[in-house]
Amino acid sequence: MVSNDAMRAVKTSISRKGSRRFAAHIDIDTATKALVLQGGGALGAYQAGVYEGLRDSHSAVDWVAGVSIGAVNAALIAGNAPEHRVARLREFWNLVSSGLAQRLSPGWADRAWFNQWSAATSAAFGIPGFFAPRRDPALLLGTAAPVLSYYDTAPLQSTLERLVDFDRINDGGVRFSVGAVDVQTGNSVYFDNTQCRIGPEHIMASGALPPGFAPVHIDGRAYWDGGIVSNTPLQYVLDEHPRTDPLVVLQVDLFSARGAMPRTLDEALERQKDITYSSRTRMNTDAMAANLNLQQAIADLIGKLPPALRNDASVQAVRAHLTHEPIEILHLIYRNKPYELESKDYEFSRASVDEHWQAGLRDICTTLKHPELLQVAAESGGVTTFDLAQPDDIRVKRPLKLPTMPATSPTRAEKGATTRSRRPATARSPGKART
């Protein structure tokens, strides 16, 4: 577990200049805290381990947003009292890894071969409490079959109704958002408990990845897995969060955009899946942070204008739109093992689930062991991103800092211009032409 002192090390001092009135620092105890969970199937146990690492030190979160399996984990967190969340997460992940094949020890075979075999049994027989193969003769027609999926997700609905208190989610104690895609428009859609009443169908829509799972119909519209458009809800959280409140985001991703050159067909398929579902994780996070930091820098420059310009109503309106309280993003990305191939997101063996959980627990503990970086890195306003989980690859990206302009002595020409402007005008003779 992580101590209270370690967790509170996330507090970072933010120096503010000019006339804007901001909090002096981001305080993890008072700032809005958002947990952002990417999709990734069986890899989602990693997110459960991350949350367990936060439980004893800081289990309270203000906002949980997820896509696909991230939506399931988000519902298990937001839909239970803080003291029961880890137990419910453990119950779910034990359930989906409880099949006969999933509970076998990997010691009897090469681990890569075992994982592939475990994934094959999941595809053939389904996963307890999650999905089951459709027993529909129409599937004999292959891709011409008049059905939209190979699996039935009714087991997941039963699991969600048993493990998640949807009344608690809809009471609004924790903001809850899950992403899906409208099948007909192709647009990303978010179901948010501040805008609609959340039920099992919204979580299932977020995870309805075709052609495995059928689209979920809600209010006359059909929805697929949100990961088809964007596999992480970070952009939604940044867009929706009020600019007047400081924000701390813990972004937990399951696919890494960075990886080694593949050497086999299996590795090529895995690399393709990583690139597809990582949503260009680091690049997008950096781009969003850079955009917000540029907006803040422009707002700071406006603050340096002469009062006559700075106080103009239109200039003030632009400045207010560009100004935001500090944002800090702690970024965790699951790094797969060498024996995990393209089937890793539907390989639900108990051994793999436990390994993913422990990896998440380890990474969040490692992240919170760097109070000196978490404090020093954000000494100016804007968005600061941290990736501290890998000791040999620590990354901290700071906001743009405007240079301080040194005071300079006026030039001789400037002195002369000042003298002339202060000299009283002399009267001229009437009718005397000026040469």
Side-chain angles (χ1 to χ4, degrees):
M1 297 302 107
V2 183
S3 68
N4 289 331
D5 290 341
M7 188 60 190
R8 289 191 175 90
V10 182
K11 299 175 183 178
T12 53
S13 297
I14 304 294
S15 174
R16 290 293 183 178
K17 297 181 179 181
S19 61
R20 300 195 320 271
R21 298 176 181 269
F22 287 104
H25 60 277
I26 287 189
D27 188 333
I28 192 66
D29 293 319
T30 59
T32 298
K33 296 169 287 296
L35 186 60
V36 172
L37 306 176
Q38 191 183 70
L43 302 176
Y46 176 82
Q47 296 169 342
V50 169
Y51 186 79
E52 183 184 10
L54 298 175
R55 175 185 58 181
D56 292 343
S57 56
H58 208 89
S59 61
V61 292
D62 302 298
W63 192 350
V64 187
V67 169
S68 198
I69 197 65
V72 174
N73 283 330
L76 292 165
I77 293 169
N80 284 284
E83 63 270 21
H84 299 312
R85 289 171 179 169
V86 172
R88 289 291 181 270
L89 287 165
R90 178 62 74 180
E91 188 173 350
F92 172 80
W93 286 102
N94 281 348
L95 173 63
V96 298
S97 61
S98 65
L100 180 61
Q102 278 74 45
R103 286 185 284 118
L104 291 177
S105 169
W108 57 273
D110 172 78
R111 184 58 190 273
W113 190 92
F114 170 84
N115 280 22
Q116 293 291 78
W117 175 82
S118 172
T121 63
S122 298
F125 304 109
I127 292 296
F130 201 155
F131 60 88
R134 289 192 182 278
R135 309 298 181 186
D136 191 333
L139 288 171
L140 295 174
L141 297 174
T143 55
V147 296
L148 295 180
S149 70
Y150 293 108
Y151 299 98
D152 178 11
T153 54
L156 177 59
Q157 180 172 347
S158 298
T159 299
L160 291 170
E161 290 172 344
R162 182 171 61 85
L163 297 181
V164 176
D165 182 350
F166 286 94
D167 287 337
R168 174 179 282 272
I169 289 178
N170 290 302
D171 284 345
V174 174
R175 186 168 181 180
F176 178 84
S177 312
V178 293
V181 173
D182 187 303
V183 175
Q184 292 172 285
T185 67
N187 292 331
S188 182
V189 176
Y190 276 85
F191 302 111
D192 192 305
N193 65 347
T194 65
Q195 302 166 12
C196 66
R197 186 165 184 83
I198 301 295
E201 65 275 14
H202 297 96
I203 287 81
M204 295 173 68
S206 183
L209 183 65
F213 302 153
V216 175
H217 293 264
I218 301 172
D219 296 332
R221 305 297 300 179
Y223 297 97
W224 269 332
D225 191 305
I228 295 174
V229 172
S230 177
N231 202 30
T232 177
L234 178 64
Q235 182 70 65
Y236 177 79
V237 169
L238 294 181
D239 287 345
E240 290 290 311
H241 179 70
R243 290 173 171 262
T244 54
D245 299 333
L247 175 67
V248 176
V249 176
L250 179 57
Q251 180 183 354
V252 189
D253 291 346
L254 302 177
F255 292 98
S256 176
R258 302 171 65 194
M261 181 70 187
R263 299 163 299 175
T264 66
L265 285 176
D266 273 336
E267 290 179 357
L269 289 170
E270 181 212 2
R271 192 77 203 99
Q272 181 265 340
K273 184 176 285 188
D274 282 345
I275 294 170
T276 300
Y277 291 115
S278 69
S279 294
R280 295 179 293 178
T281 301
R282 268 206 182 97
M283 188 188 81
N284 281 353
T285 301
D286 290 347
M288 285 184 270
N291 183 287
L292 289 173
N293 284 335
L294 180 59
Q295 293 180 31
Q296 186 61 62
I298 295 172
D300 290 341
L301 284 173
I302 291 174
K304 296 176 181 291
L305 292 174
L309 292 175
R310 185 174 68 242
N311 296 329
D312 180 84
S314 59
V315 173
Q316 286 292 306
V318 170
R319 188 185 186 196
H321 180 74
L322 296 173
T323 299
H324 60 81
E325 283 279 1
I327 298 172
E328 294 178 5
I329 303 172
L330 280 70
H331 199 182
L332 296 182
I333 308 175
Y334 174 70
R335 273 80 172 181
N336 59 285
K337 312 289 192 301
Y339 49 77
E340 291 182 315
L341 300 174
E342 65 85 24
S343 62
K344 61 189 177 184
D345 58 331
Y346 61 96
E347 196 277 289
F348 284 86
S349 69
R350 180 64 58 84
S352 292
V353 164
D354 287 346
E355 286 175 354
H356 298 153
W357 188 297
Q358 289 304 313
L361 181 60
R362 178 199 65 228
D363 285 354
I364 187 61
C365 291
T366 301
T367 293
L368 297 177
K369 285 179 181 176
H370 293 280
E372 72 288 351
L373 291 174
L374 292 168
Q375 289 172 348
V376 173
E379 289 181 350
S380 62
V383 181
T384 305
T385 59
F386 307 88
D387 186 352
L388 311 178
Q390 302 297 311
D392 58 345
D393 189 23
I394 290 176
R395 294 164 179 254
V396 177
K397 292 216 169 183
R398 301 172 175 85
L400 174 67
K401 296 181 71 172
L402 294 177
T404 301
M405 300 301 293
T408 57
S409 301
T411 65
R412 182 177 298 174
E414 290 172 333
K415 288 180 179 178
T418 302
T419 302
R420 285 193 299 272
S421 66
R422 292 177 180 175
R423 186 179 299 156
T426 57
R428 297 191 183 99
S429 302
K432 184 177 182 179
R434 184 178 179 184
T435 61

